[in-house]
Amino acid sequence: MTRSIEFWFEFGSTYSYLTAMRIEDAAVARGVAVHWRPFLLGPVFTAQGWDTSPFNIYKAKGEYMWRDMARRAARYGLPFQRLPETGPGAFPQNGLMAARMALIGLDEGWGEDFTRKVYSAEFAHGKDIADAGLLERLAVMAGAGPDVLARAQAQSNKDRLKANVEEAFRLGIFGAPSFIVNGELYWGDDRLEDALDAAVA
């Protein structure tokens, strides 16, 4: 039986950045295949009556998250900077177009590299990932063709992302990053090792 996990990630998610940048090496070390699954947290938050991230709604929780992110990023040797509360690139960023492009890239073999490039632009360099021009440049750097933006906005591709969101609901996913192993849900960057262990058990 193939040892595998599903990695559900959201481009606006701070902790998904930490996971995306280290999951490949961690999985290879255990002989586990990773299926990258981009989705959107907005509909998940809306279903819980929130209009933004709970890290914005609950100030103390948000302040803790930013400090925790700085500590964990330093532990992993990853650059990190806090995003602004308002204005372009404010937290949480709009990852809709990035998710649509990632779907195409994951089909074509450049999606994982693109995903890491987007997260690095966002959380290491403070770039606004809603900028289509930035995303197009990152995608081409990762191996995409020059028509990637148009293909990302095709209705069939939009429907694929919508289907991912619906599947996330069905699986009981309520945050990112999340991992599914043999139907079992693991939530949070700090549960990556538990999910990988479960995949090889």
Side-chain angles (χ1 to χ4, degrees), residues 89 115 118 139 164 184:
T115 297
V118 173
N164 268 15
E184 190 80 15

Side-chain angles (χ1 to χ4, degrees), residues 88-133:
F91 176 79
Q93 289 206 29
N94 182 350
L96 174 61
M97 182 58 70
R100 289 174 176 167
M101 293 173 73
L103 281 174
I104 294 173
L106 291 166
D107 284 345
E108 299 180 354
W110 51 266
E112 295 174 19
D113 186 34
F114 169 74
T115 297
R116 288 187 290 267
K117 288 182 186 304
V118 173
Y119 275 124
S120 181
E122 180 180 15
F123 291 115
H125 303 289
K127 302 296 185 181
D128 182 0
I129 64 165
D131 181 341

Side-chain angles (χ1 to χ4, degrees), residues 5 17 35 53-54 57 60 64 66 79 83 106 121 137 142 149-150 175 182:
I5 68 171
Y17 162 58
H35 301 288
S53 166
I57 295 172
Y64 174 83
W66 290 117
L83 298 179
L106 291 166
R137 290 192 298 274
L149 269 178
N182 297 323

Side-chain angles (χ1 to χ4, degrees), residues 2-6 23-35 180-181 192 195-201:
T2 302
R3 296 172 169 179
S4 65
I5 68 171
E6 292 184 5
I23 191 171
E24 182 176 10
D25 289 343
V28 167
R30 290 170 172 80
V32 175
V34 179
H35 301 288
I180 300 293
V181 183
L192 172 57
L196 292 172
D197 287 345
V200 301

